[in-house]
Structure formats: structure tokens, C-alpha cells
Amino acid sequence: MRATFMFRAGDVRVQNTPDPVLRYPTDAIVRVVRACICGSDLHPYHSLPETPGGTTMGHEFIGVVEEVGADVATVKKGDFVIAPFAVSDGTCEYCREGLHTSCEHGGFWNDTELGTGGGQAEAVRVPLADGTLVKVPGAVDESLYSGLLSLSDVYGTGWHAAVRAGVTAGDSVAVIGDGAVGLLAVLSAKQLGAEQIVLMGRHRVRTDLGREFGATEVVAERGEEGIARVRELTGGRGVRRVLEAVGHLPAYEQAVGIVRPGGVISRVGVPQYRDAEIGWPFFGKNTTLTGGPAPVRAYIEQLMPAVLDGTVQPGRVFDREIGLDDVPDGYRAMDERTALKVMVKP
Amino acid sequence: MRATFMFRAGDVRVQNTPDPVLRYPTDAIVRVVRACICGSDLHPYHSLPETPGGTTMGHEFIGVVEEVGADVATVKKGDFVIAPFAVSDGTCEYCREGLHTSCEHGGFWNDTELGTGGGQAEAVRVPLADGTLVKVPGAVDESLYSGLLSLSDVYGTGWHAAVRAGVTAGDSVAVIGDGAVGLLAVLSAKQLGAEQIVLMGRHRVRTDLGREFGATEVVAERGEEGIARVRELTGGRGVRRVLEAVGHLPAYEQAVGIVRPGGVISRVGVPQYRDAEIGWPFFGKNTTLTGGPAPVRAYIEQLMPAVLDGTVQPGRVFDREIGLDDVPDGYRAMDERTALKVMVKP
């Protein structure tokens, strides 16, 4: 089959590779119907060192089950499934608490221990299929693909940001970042009843979609100017909940600057830094910092009904569809920001 | 009157200074019955630059109201009162939310804007007396002084650590630091129903008191060894709630090392650092960091009854009583760790 590999920063190739086969009785083989490229794939796209043999890419996909191992009980051949961006057994202490990204037997799609391939491919071996995959009920119309695909990562990740931040009815919220996760954090905050949603971003097409998702104000300024602008919009106090969906240090510093005393910063952008400000400016106002890799598996069943019945359209973050062989162009387009989020049809 | 001033690191003096007088109609003058020296006073004791005229010291005291301004309604001459370590109006948006340390009109005892003196003195002008002071009901026996004094800071601060961490029945908790706040964080975690309370400290007399307050295990090791030991005590997973009551970087790093995935680090030790690890080791396990200067004012009414009826004895953290003129020796004793917490009788 064809699958995507990255060999070093900027070097993405789609190559022939052996078809995946069942390795354990808990495995399933899923034929990919749609996959996508993630904002977080751009981090290795900028920084991956020379990697002989390449590293397998893609952690978001929906597809049809082709084959299951003897111990798989919850999905069967022919089922339409969503694969979250993390593999999880669904039974360990962490999974039972809804923290599937810390699963004791799980891992990520490019996890060498799990030995599985990425989702930007024609098919994938899914370990721990009962814990990992979620069956979509009924017949699945193609018009639903983008929304269902968003449940594999970006929608659940935006939702995680809002849930961890404790967004509740009447809240003031700021979302930092107008990528797919940021926009879906806006949508999530809106669903949770936030009254004021300030979206910090500077790409007009994206922030326009953010407004449709529920943003009440858009702040294009960054740094001290951006902080001053958000303070101005919140009576000088700052916002109660900051959802940080970027992962770079300036975004975090912005979050510290705009959070209200007693407020929460919830990060879902994978931090591209190690140390950052948690001294007096942060501590003195009793700030809470939370978030992390979203256990999207915990949210899929809850979020899926409104996607299926069209109440929400998280799939609108996909603004380009390409074939598998065009994946390298898809990376380039997302890197150059000519595409917001690229869907891949193998 | 006599009052305590610090002129530079290590240089504490008790001097004559004018008696405090009412300046605003919302002020009260309180004659100090007992004050104390705080672990956080040791930070300037180590680092204060040359300060001509000196800086006023002490932020914890109990006393008797001597005089009140025309607008003061909740306390009157002769009342026995507890003064929390922060001044607050009790009416602003933050106070109404219980975040008195962010009061829009308040501040700290050595706040030059408030222009008040510290508590290590014979008397203090208390701004915003209605918001700040809490009247102790009934006759107050001398045996209660230490417990009531602990409500002005260390007990409320330990309580804040536990409350912000979300300690609940059956929880696993670790407390880092065997100072007065750490020990009272142990007591607070116990009151909130924690099942396992690991106290990290190496001063036997202190950790013994910690055991009496509810610690189920004591870990004297620090750094990697300490982390390994706590992991061993928690089935390899780490603790759900870490209460950090030190404020130095190694204590924070220890907290990150021992916190369970999905767990909380709650800091109440004033951080003596600016930047620290909040990258993948922290983010990857969905750690929450919270805490800050404790709004002890919010907790006094709730915690006082058990102090008055002897259900808890937080005052046991005071292991030495000195006169006001001996305050410089008190600082030395706490710095050399020959005293845990020093009570001052003016």
C-alpha cells in the first residue's frame, strides 16, 4: 500500500510499504476513508533530524474495518469507525478515569513500541481495537466525513481545552490561536455556554470562521499590544479561561498576561518549550495551568450525536481535500498557511 | 512603640517608632497580643538589598481592637481579632469570590501604598478593618492564642494548598516541605479525607508532628531518590495531589516528578524562581498547576470553630515564644532551623 513518511524537516514522501496485517488478537485492520494533516505534524516538519528509513506520519483517520483479531468484540468487518489520535485499552485505571492519553498499554500512532503505522496511508493496523476505535452508527454519508474526522483529534482537543479550563455558562474566555484546534476551542466554549469569547488570531478567513463558531471579538494584535487589547475588552481584569491552542512560548506568555486573577490557562498546543514563567506574575494571582494531550477517545460518544445531526459543523475547519500522493503538497500548504486543515482521501 | 524593621539581608532590628494612628474612617488600631515570624520572612532575610530606613516586618498577628474609625461596623474597641496576612475590603469582585489576596483595594502589610506597619510590633493600623479583621467570639483563653494566630496565615495557607489541589476523601496526597505550612497542609489534607499523605521532609521533630497531624508516610530523600521513593509508595503511578509548601525550584521539580498523570500540583510556597518546567514532562501527563497566595480571610470563619473547640491543634507548629526585643534572635533561630515557628509576645 501507499503510506506517508517523513525523513527530516521538510522532507515528506508517500511510498510503497507492506500492507498492514494483524499481529495480536486485539488488533484490527482499518481501510482509511479519510485522514488529515495536523498542526502538530508541522512541528517535526520544522525540526525532525535526519531519520533513515523515515518516520510514519498521521494520527487522525476514519475508515472501515477490514479485519479483526480473535479477541476484538466491539467492532467487526464493515463497521465505519473513528480512530482517535491515541491508542488506548479502555480498561486501565487511567482510561476508566477518562485519561486515555495516559493509557498504561496504549501510545501514539508513531509509537515504535506499538509498531503501528500512521494514518496518512491506505490502511492501518489498529492495536487494542476495542479500546481505541469508536463505531459510527448507521449509514455514513460522505457529507459527514469531515465532521467525523474532526472527532479523531481537533474537535476533541478543542473540547478538552474548554472542559479542562472549566468553561461554564456566562464565562469570559479567550482562545489563543486560529488554527483548527483554536477554532474548535471557540466552538466548544460556545457549546459550554461562554458569553464572551475573544479569539486571538490574525488570519481573516480563519477568524471569520471563528466568529461563525461563536467568537464575540477577534484580537489580531500579539504580545503586549494583544494583552492590552484583551484587558480592555474585559474591564481591565482579564479573562477567566484562556484556551491556548498554539504551543509556542509567546502564546503561553500571552496567556499569562491576559488571565484574570483566579483564572485558568488550559493548554492543548503541544509546548515547543520546556521552561516558562510560573513565578510571581503567575502565582501571585492564583492562576491555574492545566491541559495536555486530549483524551479525545473519552469525548467521541458525547460529541458525535451533534455532528451526525448537523447541530455543529466542526468539519468546516477542513478547507482542502487532496489525494494521498499529494500529501507532501498538503504539508507545504499548511506550513505556508494557504490551507487551514487538509483532508486526505487515500 | 517598638516595632520590627529589616535593613538588609540578615539585619533585623526592633526600634522605637511612632504609635499608629487612625488615618481613614475605615481603619482600626489593633494592640498586638501575639505575632509571629513566617517562613516567607526568611526570603528577604536572605536576599533583601540595603534598605535605608528599613522595611517594616510581620504579617501575622492577633490582638485587641483599641480604636476604630467612624465607618468601621463589624469590630469595636475591646474585640479580640485575627488579622489575616493580607488586607482586603471584603466587597470587591475578587473578595466576593473568596480571592481576597487579589482585592482591588487591599494589599499586604508591608505595602507602601497602604502605608501600614508590620505585625511584629506592639500595635498596628489596620486599613479596611471591616473587610480585613475577623472577630473571635467570646472570651479568649491564652491557650487558644497559638491556634488563632495560625489562622492569620499558616493554617489557612496549608488549607488553601489542599483545597486548591481538590483533596477529597480517599485521595493520595504528598506534601513537600516540613515547615509550618507543610505540616498544616498535612492537617488540612487529613481533614479533607485524604487516605494516603506522604510528607517529604527531613527534620525528624517536624515530621513527627506531621505524623501526628495525619501523615501516613515520611520521605526524607530528595531529588531523584525522593521521587523514586514516592513512586514506590504509590504503585509506580505517583500521587494525585501534590501540595508544595517550600517555594524553591527543587521542590517544584520534585512535585513534577511525583505527580500522577491527571494529577494536581498546588503551590503555596512563594516561588523563588521565575521560569520552570512546564514542557512535555508536565504537559504530557495532563498535570494541573494551581495555588498562590492564600486568601486566608476566606477560610477563617470556616476553620475557627474546630480551633476553638480543640478538634484540631494547628498552634502546635509554634515551638518557641519570645518577647518583641528578641525578634532578631527569632529570625536567626528559624533560619538555623532550631525553631520551627516563633511566636512573638510584644
Side-chain angles (χ1 to χ4, degrees):
Chain A
M1 68 162 185
R2 307 280 288 164
T4 305
F5 297 85
M6 194 184 287
F7 291 83
R8 66 167 182 282
D11 183 4
V12 176
R13 302 180 215 163
V14 178
Q15 295 189 331
N16 289 322
T17 189
D19 285 343
V21 292
L22 295 179
R23 194 183 294 180
Y24 301 102
T26 48
D27 285 351
I29 304 299
V30 173
R31 173 76 32 193
V32 177
V33 170
R34 291 291 185 281
C36 50
I37 303 172
C38 188
S40 70
D41 291 335
L42 297 181
H43 296 318
Y45 191 71
H46 292 146
S47 64
L48 188 73
E50 191 75 40
T51 304
T55 180
T56 175
M57 295 302 298
H59 53 257
E60 302 150 282
F61 60 97
I62 52 176
V64 174
V65 176
E66 202 165 74
E67 196 184 353
V68 296
D71 293 349
V72 175
T74 62
V75 296
K76 59 179 194 305
K77 185 177 158 83
D79 282 349
F80 196 100
V81 291
I82 300 169
F85 75 77
V87 170
S88 56
D89 65 14
T91 56
C92 78
E93 188 176 306
Y94 297 113
C95 285
R96 291 198 310 272
E97 287 173 20
L99 195 63
H100 298 71
T101 39
S102 291
C103 175
E104 293 186 327
H105 305 105
F108 299 99
W109 293 103
N110 58 354
D111 185 327
T112 48
E113 270 185 60
L114 292 173
T116 186
Q120 291 159 10
E122 289 181 76
V124 179
R125 180 179 70 86
V126 176
L128 302 168
D130 276 340
T132 304
L133 296 172
V134 180
K135 176 177 156 60
V136 181
V140 181
D141 188 81
E142 192 171 335
S143 65
L144 292 169
Y145 287 175
S146 63
L148 294 172
L149 183 56
S150 76
L151 288 169
S152 72
D153 183 346
V154 282
Y155 185 18
T157 295
W159 182 259
H160 185 59
V163 166
R164 276 266 159 174
V167 174
T168 184
D171 248 333
S172 68
V173 174
V175 175
I176 302 179
D178 57 12
V181 171
L183 298 179
L184 292 169
V186 168
L187 178 70
S188 300
K190 177 74 178 171
Q191 284 184 280
L192 290 165
E195 194 174 296
Q196 179 178 39
I197 304 174
V198 181
L199 173 58
M200 302 192 78
R202 48 172 60 193
H203 300 272
R204 185 60 190 273
V205 179
R206 300 178 178 196
T207 57
D208 282 352
L209 180 55
R211 284 187 193 273
E212 292 187 54
F213 280 160
T216 53
E217 287 111 353
V218 170
V219 170
E221 295 87 345
R222 293 182 181 179
E224 287 307 317
E225 259 184 291
I227 291 169
R229 185 84 190 96
V230 174
R231 295 200 154 274
E232 209 178 286
L233 291 169
T234 52
R237 295 195 172 90
V239 289
R240 285 177 191 271
R241 324 279 168 192
V242 183
L243 317 185
E244 197 284 89
V246 176
H248 291 295
L249 188 57
Y252 173 72
E253 290 169 340
Q254 204 149 290
V256 174
I258 64 177
V259 71
R260 181 183 179 282
V264 183
I265 299 170
S266 180
R267 294 183 301 170
V268 289
V270 180
Q272 303 301 302
Y273 50 88
R274 184 191 140 89
D275 288 6
E277 168 64 73
I278 54 168
W280 185 260
F282 174 101
F283 176 87
K285 52 184 181 179
N286 269 279
T287 311
T288 295
L289 174 65
T290 189
V296 297
R297 177 64 186 82
Y299 305 132
I300 294 177
E301 282 98 338
Q302 179 186 1
L303 298 176
M304 188 159 52
V307 173
L308 290 176
D309 72 16
T311 308
V312 292
Q313 284 93 32
R316 292 181 66 193
V317 296
F318 292 101
D319 59 352
R320 187 170 305 179
E321 183 174 297
I322 59 174
L324 187 56
D325 285 332
D326 297 325
V327 163
D329 292 335
Y331 274 80
R332 210 160 13 247
M334 282 185 59
D335 187 40
E336 291 166 357
R337 294 177 172 261
T338 56
L340 168 52
K341 192 159 175 78
V342 173
M343 184 149 70
V344 179
K345 179 182 177 177
Chain B
M1 70 162 185
R2 307 279 289 162
T4 306
F5 297 85
M6 194 183 287
F7 291 83
R8 65 167 184 281
D11 183 4
V12 176
R13 302 178 217 164
V14 178
Q15 295 190 331
N16 289 321
T17 188
D19 285 343
V21 292
L22 295 177
R23 194 183 293 179
Y24 302 102
T26 46
D27 285 350
I29 304 297
V30 173
R31 174 78 29 194
V32 176
V33 171
R34 292 290 186 280
C36 51
I37 303 172
C38 188
S40 70
D41 291 334
L42 296 181
H43 296 318
Y45 192 71
H46 293 145
S47 63
L48 188 73
E50 192 74 38
T51 305
T55 181
T56 176
M57 296 299 301
H59 53 259
E60 303 150 282
F61 60 98
I62 52 176
V64 174
V65 177
E66 202 164 74
E67 195 184 354
V68 297
D71 293 350
V72 175
T74 61
V75 295
K76 60 178 192 308
K77 185 177 157 80
D79 282 350
F80 197 100
V81 292
I82 300 169
F85 74 79
V87 170
S88 56
D89 65 12
T91 56
C92 78
E93 188 176 307
Y94 297 114
C95 285
R96 292 199 310 273
E97 287 174 19
L99 195 63
H100 298 72
T101 39
S102 291
C103 175
E104 292 185 330
H105 305 105
F108 298 99
W109 293 102
N110 58 354
D111 185 328
T112 48
E113 272 186 59
L114 292 173
T116 187
Q120 292 158 10
E122 290 181 75
V124 180
R125 179 178 72 84
V126 176
L128 304 167
D130 275 342
T132 304
L133 296 172
V134 180
K135 177 177 155 58
V136 181
V140 181
D141 188 81
E142 193 172 335
S143 65
L144 292 169
Y145 287 174
S146 63
L148 295 171
L149 183 57
S150 76
L151 288 169
S152 72
D153 184 345
V154 283
Y155 184 18
T157 295
W159 181 259
H160 185 59
V163 167
R164 277 267 160 172
V167 174
T168 185
D171 247 334
S172 68
V173 174
V175 175
I176 302 180
D178 57 12
V181 171
L183 298 180
L184 291 170
V186 169
L187 179 70
S188 300
K190 177 73 180 174
Q191 284 184 279
L192 291 165
E195 193 173 296
Q196 179 178 39
I197 305 174
V198 181
L199 173 59
M200 303 191 79
R202 48 173 62 193
H203 299 273
R204 184 62 189 272
V205 177
R206 301 179 177 194
T207 56
D208 281 352
L209 180 54
R211 284 186 194 273
E212 291 186 54
F213 280 161
T216 53
E217 287 112 352
V218 169
V219 170
E221 294 87 345
R222 292 182 181 180
E224 287 308 317
E225 258 183 293
I227 291 169
R229 185 83 190 97
V230 174
R231 295 200 153 274
E232 208 178 287
L233 290 170
T234 52
R237 295 194 172 92
V239 289
R240 285 176 192 270
R241 323 280 169 192
V242 184
L243 317 185
E244 198 281 271
V246 176
H248 290 295
L249 188 57
Y252 173 72
E253 291 170 341
Q254 204 149 293
V256 174
I258 63 176
V259 71
R260 181 181 180 282
V264 182
I265 298 169
S266 181
R267 292 183 303 169
V268 289
V270 179
Q272 302 302 302
Y273 50 89
R274 187 192 138 89
D275 288 6
E277 168 64 73
I278 54 168
W280 185 261
F282 175 100
F283 176 88
K285 51 184 181 178
N286 269 278
T287 311
T288 295
L289 174 65
T290 190
V296 297
R297 178 64 187 82
Y299 305 132
I300 294 177
E301 282 98 339
Q302 180 186 0
L303 298 177
M304 187 159 52
V307 173
L308 290 175
D309 73 14
T311 308
V312 292
Q313 283 94 31
R316 293 182 65 193
V317 297
F318 292 101
D319 59 350
R320 187 170 307 179
E321 183 173 295
I322 59 174
L324 187 56
D325 286 333
D326 297 325
V327 163
D329 293 334
Y331 274 79
R332 214 164 5 250
M334 281 184 60
D335 187 40
E336 291 166 355
R337 295 179 172 257
T338 56
L340 168 52
K341 192 159 175 77
V342 173
M343 185 149 68
V344 180
K345 180 181 178 179

